[in-house]
């Protein structure tokens, strides 16, 4: 869904130095460089991407298909597909995701909750561990 050629375009920007008080919903892609005090939601009818840059602060719930965080989020983060936590990401709240990419330096103060569509799918992906004894 999110290969490099088919990512939704970034169509909205909350610029550095701007502050938005209230809920914010968007379609396609959005970038936050400023501050949002409210929930940020990508509409579910089409693929969405949200970029929270190094200078950004979001206080509220975050929901989109593809979420990239390199700033601060104070609230839960829900990535319907992919969550990327860049080195300066600071999240205070639980995170939900199908796929997680977490860089060294990123911090989450909350629970990591993977979305599993099928329990059998999860069991099939886990490798079987075999313990061997070193007794001669």
């Amino acid at each position: 869904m999110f290969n490099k050629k088919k990512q939704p375009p970034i169509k909205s920007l909350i610029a550095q130095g701007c502050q938005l008080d209230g809920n914010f919903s968007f379609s396609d892609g959005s970038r936050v460089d400023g501050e949002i005090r409210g929930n940020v939601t990508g509409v579910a009818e089409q693929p969405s991407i949200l970029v929270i840059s190094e200078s950004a602060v979001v206080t509220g719930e975050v929901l989109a298909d593809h979420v990239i965080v390199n700033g601060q989020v104070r609230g839960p983060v829900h990535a319907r597909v992919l969550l990327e936590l860049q080195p300066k990401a600071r999240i205070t709240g639980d995170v939900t995701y199908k796929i997680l990419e977490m860089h060294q330096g990123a911090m989450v103060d909350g629970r990591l909750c993977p979305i599993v569509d099928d329990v059998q799918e999860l069991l099939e992906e886990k490798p079987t561990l075999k313990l061997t004894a070193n007794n001669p």
Side-chain angles (χ1 to χ4, degrees), residues 15-96:
Q16 189 171 3
C18 293
Q19 178 179 310
L20 175 66
D21 292 321
N23 296 334
F24 176 69
S25 61
F26 65 94
S27 60
D28 293 322
S30 185
R31 180 180 172 98
V32 179
D33 291 340
E35 184 174 351
I36 297 179
R37 294 179 184 171
N39 299 333
V40 181
T41 306
V43 296
E45 292 80 33
Q46 57 192 20
S48 59
I49 183 169
L50 175 65
V51 179
I52 299 173
S53 75
E54 183 179 335
S55 62
V57 177
V58 176
T59 304
E61 185 174 17
V62 171
L63 172 64
D65 291 328
H66 183 176
V67 181
I68 302 170
V69 181
N70 200 26
Q72 293 183 41
V73 178
R74 298 177 189 126
V77 176
H78 306 285
R80 294 183 194 106
V81 179
L82 173 62
L83 174 62
E84 292 182 50
L85 301 178
Q86 300 291 323
K88 295 189 178 182
R90 302 292 179 263
I91 298 175
T92 303
D94 296 342
V95 295
T96 307

